[in-house]
Amino acid sequence: ALADAGAAATAAEAIITSSCNVNCGSRCLLRTHVANNVITSIETDESGNDEYGMHQIRACLRGRSMRKRVYSPDRLKYPMIRTGKRGEGKFRRISWDEALDTIAAKMKDIKERFGNEAFYLQYGSGSTGGLMSRANAFTPLVRLMNCYGGFLNQHNTYSTAQIATGMPYLYGINAGNAMSDMANSKLVVMFGNNPAGTRMSGGGIVHDMLVAREKSDVRLIVVDPCFSDTAAVADEWIPIRPGTDGALSAAIAHVLISENMVDQTFLDTYCLGFDEAHMPADVPANSSYKAYVMGQGPDGLVKTPSWAASICGIPAETIVRLARQIGQAKPCCISQGWGPQRHSNGEDACRAIAMLAILTGNVGIPGGNTGAREVGYVNPFSSFPVLTNPVTAKLPVFLWTDAIERGPEMTAFKDGIKGTDRLKAPIKFIWNYAGNTLINQHSDINRTAGILADERKCEMIVVLDHFMTPSARFADILLPGTTNLEEDEFARSDYVSEMGYVIFGKKAIEPLFESRGLYEVCADLAGRLGFKDKFTEGRTRDQWLQYLLDQSRAKLPDLPQTLEEAWKMGVLKIRNPGPPDVPLKAFREDPAAHPLKTPSGKIEIFSKRLWDIGHTWELSEGDRIPALPEFNEGFEGYLDPARKRFPLQMITHHYKQRTHSTYGNIPWLKEIAPQELWINPMDAEPRGIRHGDLVRIHNDRGASVIKAKVTPRIIPGTVSLPEGAWYAPDAHGVDQGGSPNVLTTHRPSPLAKGNPQHSTLVEIAKA
Amino acid sequence: MLKRPAFHIDLKTCTGCKTCMVACKDKHDLPEGVKWRRVTEYSGGNWVRQTDGTFAQDVFGYYMSISCNHCEDPICVRSCPTTAMHKDECGIVKVDHAKCVGCRYCEMACPYRAPQFNPQIGMMTKCDFCEDFQLQGKAPACVAACPCRSLTFGEYDELKARFGEATTVAPLPEPTITQPSLVVTPGRTAKAAHSDRGRIRNPEEL
């Protein structure tokens, strides 16, 4: 590798394949121009004729600004140890040896006093695409901790907790038809799905969507509180109040049932729980979905369009028209993004939306969908092997601050702990690698900062990152990491419909300053902890890459033989050999031979499992776990009485400036896509707020000052503050960065114990 | 080289991602504040609150990516007092830095805001249609970058033949002012030039 870097230094300019590995859900190819060990510019995939299926993997604006990340003046340069109070941001330079010795000594101390359950690997996704630098699950850090006796594991993610938990009660899985399959649809209705904002890669889902529409000119309706960038290219936008998708779905169901547009044969053959004739034996009468919709259920409410209209903010005639379009289009694709589920009622909302696909019999067929979010080609390239975690306890990922404060009180029935009935130890040691969840991306920043500031609770926090992020400020030991342009790395394709690929990213420049890669740091710690051979198996980092190449070749025979060939190849693209992926296709064709992974093998509209959970779990006051996919008001939604004090609903859409918080410090991106609060003129005018004014957005948990974008592109009564902006408190603790998590609640959703960051009530005033 | 180099933008597919802007900034190493390509957000529509708590609305919105249109009748050239701004033999409008005094008259005259003042050198700068890339047979950086394949480039007459008559949509000025080498495919909600239905919503980003 050194020899190659030397060669690059003597040549006028070399072009080296790299990738952007952040967690947008896509994965892009970068072509890094390097002269004299300096990156001079970054291009993207320009290969071939761009034929769809082997098309160019064109990076978005973030990947194109990568050299500004590598050369940011904010790069961490050498290891540091905290000198001030935790969170204060005062550090002193130390050597790598001192840093690693200190970490190893504290690891031994914590293990001895509290056992392995006291170690927590903080959720992070700043490095998601790479195999050797990955931030979660299949990462060298997990291997290190597994070698050391394990760590407190986690379940769920901050992206999908509610839908990934909710959908399997309905279908046994959580999967939707490939985006490319919408070319086979007669109508596409997207609920809170915004590929143009969340899957921006020109190799990924937004491209799949545009190509499919070019083929079929299929009508696209977007249901979303915001006129998203996807709405900007859609046929119709139906604005909806956040968290009310369940009410809209029930009203559409009412029209479909009343006007005989349900597929009764499909419901009778494939589903349980639609009507009273298909119910479990031991539940009360009128517990079916049809009874719920038609007003015979326990609430006695008929779910008419006019009932839903005042909740959702959508005129009843629009609901009727939408229902008729859904009922008459054959096939119809109902899909949802992950916005509708990131709510206090998300487990129910995601299933409620799926009901529209079920009622119309659009499940398991081309051009239809399950109502879930799209899945596509699954890349079979191997992950880094991490061995097995001897600790079985799993924490809902959103509850880690609770585990610091009251770990041993946390149980399966109360807190959603899995793998054990009750935690043994509180969290005492946190590894925070390539992540900003420690402060920025977790809810209720002020609460989190208070918990972390108490050094008696969590005794050590180690951060390995590129920048002094809001989370890095809370480190005890702060380590400078390499970017993936400073190391050899492979990156796999992520969400894409019809093509898989592996990017072979050669080190473009030597690591800057004293930065080091995750694998090397873990290997050195393994040596200090006495299990270097078990950790490395005698392999260097490059030998592991060769190992992964060899492991994967059985599944992908076109892979190169050697690393040298891989660097030369740059990328291997694999065309999806089959038609667009249609989950549940086999079940649809032969339900007896291919039962679902639900207890009955059928689609469980009424879930007896949820019924039992709803009657046995210890829930917070007001929480409910309904067995049906019904409208559940949840907390901090439109119907919450707390809206008297905080009348506006706040959501946090994904924003082109950043992927979550990554790239959030890049001037080029802040200049052309500044952080701003979306607010409708009907909410801005009575508050005397004009476009560009600084406003104070606040509730009982905190406040943030940010510029207002006064725009008709958001439904009145709702504001949106794009997620991921870096928390920047002033001397009084008031955020000046527009970081939404100073306002979001730590209260988890009832079933998944997931993050409900779009269920937030606020008030706004001119600053 | 092309005789009359032109850009085409398809507003049916442009999602306003701004990758063209960053690709341009990276290729030409532009400092903060200098944007040879700009993405305008144009939107409008009204909201009416109804008695049942619902809303009637007619909101629309779309994006427009614009660099320099290398116009047939470039007003920047006409307004330059030093003849620094000129159109070269390849149809590319350029600044001669030996003559530019940074008076910014071209910036004020251009209805597309194409000439951009670079405070680091005290002179005007602008899109050069990535002339060096063209000589290598490559597409301009913005075109090659576009994730949604909304930008293309080519001979003006050929683009017109392929994508239809150059249509002017808001917020672009009437083409008669400068005869821009630009072909636009309007989107579903495109408004006519001079429409009062919408306005530019991101002036601070341009």
Side-chain angles (χ1 to χ4, degrees):
Chain A
L2 277 172
D4 288 343
T10 51
E13 187 177 76
I15 300 176
I16 296 167
T17 300
S18 304
S19 56
C20 175
N21 291 349
V22 302
N23 185 23
C24 62
S26 300
R27 186 75 48 239
C28 287
L29 187 140
L30 305 177
R31 286 163 54 248
T32 309
H33 292 239
V34 178
N36 298 315
N37 198 35
V38 173
I39 301 166
T40 55
S41 74
I42 293 199
E43 293 181 327
T44 189
D45 190 0
E46 294 177 13
S47 62
N49 62 0
D50 201 26
E51 177 207 356
Y52 184 67
M54 294 293 276
H55 49 271
Q56 295 167 356
I57 310 160
R58 297 189 184 181
C60 82
L61 72 166
R62 297 179 293 253
R64 299 301 295 261
S65 71
M66 181 67 129
R67 77 181 165 101
K68 291 291 174 184
R69 246 176 97 200
V70 174
Y71 293 120
S72 166
D74 304 333
R75 276 288 293 268
L76 296 174
K77 297 179 176 62
Y78 32 73
M80 293 191 282
I81 190 166
R82 176 169 62 84
T83 55
K85 287 184 205 150
R86 189 185 275 161
E88 206 178 15
K90 290 184 180 163
F91 295 91
R92 167 174 67 80
R93 179 178 185 170
I94 55 174
S95 68
W96 269 103
D97 276 339
E98 186 183 345
L100 296 178
D101 287 345
T102 308
I103 294 167
K106 192 66 185 176
M107 286 175 75
K108 289 175 189 168
D109 174 47
I110 295 289
K111 183 178 167 111
E112 195 177 299
R113 286 192 290 138
F114 298 98
N116 280 79
E117 258 189 38
F119 290 92
Y120 189 64
L121 273 51
Q122 183 58 275
Y123 184 89
S125 66
S127 178
T128 289
L131 297 180
M132 301 298 293
S133 59
R134 200 184 151 97
N136 50 37
F138 300 98
T139 159
L141 197 49
V142 166
R143 184 180 176 91
L144 175 82
M145 291 309 301
N146 285 346
C147 289
Y148 194 49
F151 61 99
L152 175 59
N153 220 322
Q154 53 195 208
H155 65 92
N156 287 341
T157 67
Y158 280 75
S159 297
T160 63
Q162 289 88 331
I163 193 170
T165 301
M167 280 297 190
Y169 286 99
L170 194 60
Y171 289 122
I173 56 165
N174 171 34
N177 289 23
M179 185 65 87
S180 50
D181 181 55
M182 71 188 250
N184 299 316
S185 304
K186 291 288 187 287
L187 172 71
V188 178
V189 186
M190 290 185 172
F191 289 77
N193 197 0
N194 178 19
T198 59
R199 300 278 190 263
M200 293 177 66
S201 165
I205 297 291
V206 70
H207 183 52
D208 294 323
M209 176 181 81
L210 293 169
V211 169
R213 279 189 90 208
E214 195 184 356
K215 282 182 190 161
S216 67
D217 202 26
V218 61
R219 181 171 167 77
L220 171 61
I221 300 175
V222 170
V223 182
D224 198 307
C226 292
F227 185 97
S228 64
D229 289 348
T230 300
V233 294
D235 293 287
E236 186 179 357
W237 173 49
I238 298 180
I240 183 170
R241 289 197 181 98
T244 67
D245 302 82
L248 174 62
S249 299
I252 293 173
H254 185 271
V255 178
L256 294 173
I257 293 168
S258 306
E259 300 188 5
N260 292 320
M261 287 187 284
V262 297
D263 186 339
Q264 191 66 45
T265 309
F266 178 81
L267 292 165
D268 290 344
T269 313
Y270 298 93
C271 307
L272 289 180
F274 172 66
D275 52 31
E276 295 297 310
H278 301 86
M279 291 295 287
D282 45 354
V283 296
N286 292 319
S287 295
S288 68
Y289 183 76
K290 192 173 178 181
Y292 163 75
V293 170
M294 303 312 284
Q296 290 122 20
D299 66 5
L301 275 172
V302 189
K303 309 302 181 305
T304 60
S306 54
W307 163 80
S310 58
I311 299 171
C312 307
I314 305 170
E317 58 270 24
T318 305
I319 297 176
V320 172
R321 186 169 51 82
L322 177 60
R324 287 177 183 159
Q325 288 185 76
I326 289 172
Q328 287 161 8
K330 303 287 176 192
C332 175
C333 168
I334 303 287
S335 88
Q336 65 184 300
W338 295 338
Q341 59 92 46
R342 204 171 293 114
H343 275 280
S344 59
N345 60 5
E347 299 93 337
D348 309 311
C350 65
R351 289 184 299 135
I353 293 166
M355 280 311 298
L356 306 180
I358 293 168
L359 291 168
T360 50
N362 276 302
V363 176
I365 56 171
N369 191 16
T370 58
R373 191 169 184 181
E374 67 281 349
V375 171
Y377 178 86
V378 176
N379 195 327
F381 197 92
S382 297
S383 295
F384 180 71
V386 295
L387 308 173
T388 305
N389 188 352
V391 173
T392 57
K394 284 187 176 181
L395 176 76
V397 66
F398 186 55
L399 296 189
W400 61 273
T401 52
D402 293 81
I404 293 175
E405 293 222 285
R406 55 179 184 92
E409 294 170 17
M410 296 177 76
T411 68
F413 283 168
K414 190 154 57 74
D415 304 291
I417 303 295
K418 289 185 180 175
T420 183
D421 293 338
R422 180 183 288 272
L423 294 187
K424 287 193 195 72
I427 291 172
K428 287 288 174 184
F429 189 114
I430 293 179
W431 269 109
N432 190 90
Y433 165 65
N436 210 352
T437 308
L438 191 69
I439 281 290
N440 213 72
Q441 299 303 95
H442 186 67
S443 294
D444 202 345
I445 285 175
N446 291 315
R447 173 183 175 275
T448 311
I451 292 168
L452 294 180
D454 187 344
E455 299 158 29
R456 293 165 304 179
K457 289 177 180 167
C458 179
E459 296 186 16
M460 177 160 268
I461 299 171
V462 180
V463 173
L464 174 56
D465 211 316
H466 304 147
F467 306 110
M468 185 65 83
T469 63
S471 294
R473 287 173 66 88
F474 282 77
D476 298 310
I477 300 288
L478 185 48
L479 305 173
T482 43
T483 67
N484 65 300
L485 271 56
E486 295 157 275
E487 56 197 18
D488 295 342
E489 180 64 297
F490 295 167
R492 283 180 300 213
S493 52
D494 210 341
Y495 296 93
V496 52
S497 286
E498 297 303 316
M499 176 175 82
Y501 48 90
V502 186
I503 300 169
F504 308 109
K506 179 95 187 72
K507 184 201 281 190
I509 57 167
E510 288 303 309
L512 296 178
F513 317 111
E514 289 186 17
S515 62
R516 299 185 68 191
L518 174 70
Y519 178 78
E520 291 77 4
V521 171
C522 290
D524 274 5
L525 270 173
R528 281 169 167 81
L529 296 168
F531 51 82
K532 181 145 196 165
D533 292 346
K534 187 177 178 190
F535 179 82
T536 65
E537 295 183 19
R539 294 189 184 94
T540 63
R541 182 197 170 89
D542 273 5
Q543 285 167 335
W544 275 110
L545 288 174
Q546 180 68 53
Y547 170 86
L548 292 170
L549 207 52
D550 296 339
Q551 289 289 304
S552 307
R553 201 171 296 107
K555 294 164 281 184
L556 296 168
D558 293 337
L559 282 172
Q561 298 291 324
T562 66
L563 288 187
E564 284 313 310
E565 287 172 33
W567 307 141
K568 206 170 289 176
M569 185 181 277
V571 60
L572 174 69
K573 295 179 186 175
I574 310 124
R575 193 190 289 267
N576 178 13
D581 195 35
V582 178
L584 274 64
K585 188 163 181 280
F587 167 71
R588 183 69 187 257
E589 287 164 358
D590 189 347
H594 302 283
L596 300 183
K597 289 175 187 161
T598 55
S600 63
K602 294 190 171 188
I603 298 171
E604 297 194 344
I605 298 171
F606 179 98
S607 168
K608 183 62 171 43
R609 286 184 293 171
L610 286 177
W611 172 271
D612 292 340
I613 287 171
H615 287 82
T616 49
W617 279 20
E618 300 167 48
L619 297 175
S620 298
E621 198 184 328
D623 277 2
R624 217 156 64 76
I625 298 179
L628 286 174
E630 61 188 58
F631 174 54
N632 186 353
E633 293 177 16
F635 51 83
E636 293 207 38
Y638 178 66
L639 298 176
D640 193 322
R643 222 163 50 77
K644 285 197 181 72
R645 284 184 65 218
F646 299 110
L648 298 169
Q649 294 181 266
M650 183 189 82
I651 56 173
T652 67
H653 68 269
H654 286 40
Y655 191 41
K656 59 196 86 171
Q657 184 202 103
R658 303 173 297 268
T659 294
H660 307 307
S661 71
T662 315
Y663 289 103
N665 58 335
I666 304 306
W668 272 357
L669 301 175
K670 291 170 93 160
E671 175 189 16
I672 66 170
Q675 179 71 353
E676 56 197 3
L677 177 80
W678 286 35
I679 182 168
N680 187 284
M682 287 176 84
D683 297 313
E685 276 157 22
R687 292 170 174 82
I689 295 165
R690 298 171 66 165
H691 182 80
D693 282 351
L694 274 180
V695 298
R696 183 174 185 274
I697 175 168
H698 64 98
N699 60 21
D700 285 337
R701 290 179 288 267
S704 181
V705 175
I706 192 68
K707 272 190 180 173
K709 176 189 177 75
V710 178
T711 172
R713 292 178 54 178
I714 187 164
I715 189 169
T718 296
V719 295
S720 186
L721 188 57
E723 62 109 17
W726 289 23
Y727 169 59
D730 67 6
H732 308 290
V734 177
D735 174 53
Q736 308 290 313
S739 184
N741 281 322
V742 295
L743 302 154
T744 53
T745 179
H746 174 66
R747 181 174 169 184
S749 65
L751 175 66
K753 309 298 178 193
N755 45 310
Q757 277 149 319
H758 305 319
S759 296
T760 306
L761 296 179
V762 298
E763 178 54 294
I764 290 167
K766 209 170 156 174
Chain B
M1 294 293 284
L2 300 163
K3 288 204 293 284
R4 183 179 172 186
F7 289 109
H8 166 253
I9 177 159
D10 183 352
L11 300 187
K12 286 192 297 193
T13 58
C14 175
T15 61
C17 74
K18 302 180 179 176
T19 303
C20 51
M21 292 180 74
V22 175
C24 177
K25 291 199 79 141
D26 185 57
K27 153 81 169 89
H28 301 286
D29 206 18
L30 303 180
E32 268 176 76
V34 180
K35 299 155 189 160
W36 287 2
R37 188 170 270 283
R38 301 154 305 285
V39 176
T40 297
E41 178 194 342
Y42 183 80
S43 65
N46 292 303
W47 289 83
V48 178
R49 188 187 300 275
Q50 309 187 121
T51 50
D52 61 353
T54 65
F55 299 98
Q57 52 85 25
D58 59 352
V59 174
F60 71 94
Y62 56 88
Y63 293 95
M64 175 76 77
S65 172
I66 285 289
S67 64
C68 171
N69 298 309
H70 303 279
C71 306
E72 275 297 270
D73 184 13
I75 197 166
C76 56
V77 172
R78 278 187 266 147
S79 59
C80 177
T82 69
T83 70
M85 195 68 82
H86 63 286
K87 190 164 171 125
D88 77 2
E89 62 280 7
C90 299
I92 298 172
V93 175
K94 284 183 178 166
V95 189
D96 183 346
H97 281 162
K99 294 180 179 172
C100 180
V101 294
C103 71
R104 303 176 76 159
Y105 285 6
C106 54
E107 179 187 344
M108 285 175 252
C110 174
Y112 305 96
R113 300 176 64 174
Q116 297 263 313
F117 183 71
N118 183 341
Q120 291 179 352
I121 57 172
M123 285 187 276
M124 301 312 297
T125 62
K126 64 178 294 304
C127 162
D128 65 356
F129 225 110
C130 288
E131 190 177 16
D132 54 340
F133 277 7
Q134 279 199 64
L135 287 167
Q136 296 166 38
K138 288 175 50 164
C142 53
V143 172
C146 183
C148 295
R149 281 74 170 172
S150 309
L151 282 176
T152 43
F153 82 108
E155 200 67 71
Y156 178 72
D157 290 337
E158 287 170 22
L159 289 177
K160 249 191 359 181
R162 185 171 158 204
F163 297 109
E165 280 301 307
T167 316
T168 306
V169 304
L172 294 178
E174 290 292 349
T176 47
I177 303 170
T178 64
Q179 298 178 46
S181 303
L182 175 71
V183 179
V184 178
T185 300
R188 180 180 58 84
T189 60
K191 306 293 178 239
H194 302 308
S195 164
D196 58 0
R197 291 287 318 285
R199 44 192 174 87
I200 294 173
R201 300 280 175 171
N202 62 339
E204 62 282 351
E205 297 167 11
L206 303 176

